[in-house]
Amino acid sequence: APPSDPAPSAPWTPGPGPQAAEAAALGVSPLDAYNAALLDEVRPRLPPDPAAPPAEPYDLLALGAGAAGLISSKQAARRGARSALVSGGLAGGDCLVAGCVPSKAL
């Protein structure tokens, strides 16, 4: 994986350069306007605001954005719970993204 900024301070910017290499290491390519906006939502480069008030506690914390994490977070939120989804990669997990799901073979 390419080295990333130790403390990124700018949103994702479309075009070639170090951010494009960083996005490609995440499996997002090309770094166009659409993908830059996507990455700003799912992997923001701006640090959180330290002056912001603390958030309310979560009712559900799902570790991993595979099928189970996605569904449990979505269903909890539908029922009024505050849910958080934490994943080391992009949403979908190995099976949904890489092709374990049988329909990917068709």
Side-chain angles (χ1 to χ4, degrees):
S4 60
D5 299 338
S9 60
W12 291 93
T13 308
Q19 285 189 11
E22 191 177 345
L26 294 170
V28 178
S29 185
L31 188 55
D32 55 12
Y34 175 83
N35 285 335
L38 168 76
L39 286 169
D40 278 333
E41 293 295 324
V42 299
R43 178 107 25 159
R45 299 186 85 244
L46 295 173
D49 181 9
E56 293 293 319
Y58 290 102
D59 299 305
L60 172 73
L61 175 64
L63 299 178
L70 288 171
I71 291 171
S72 61
S73 291
K74 179 180 175 182
Q75 292 301 324
R78 274 186 165 173
R79 288 163 174 78
R82 281 186 40 94
S83 64
L85 181 62
V86 178
S87 179
L90 297 175
D94 288 340
C95 282
L96 295 176
V97 175
C100 297
V101 177
S103 64
K104 297 272 185 173
L106 299 177

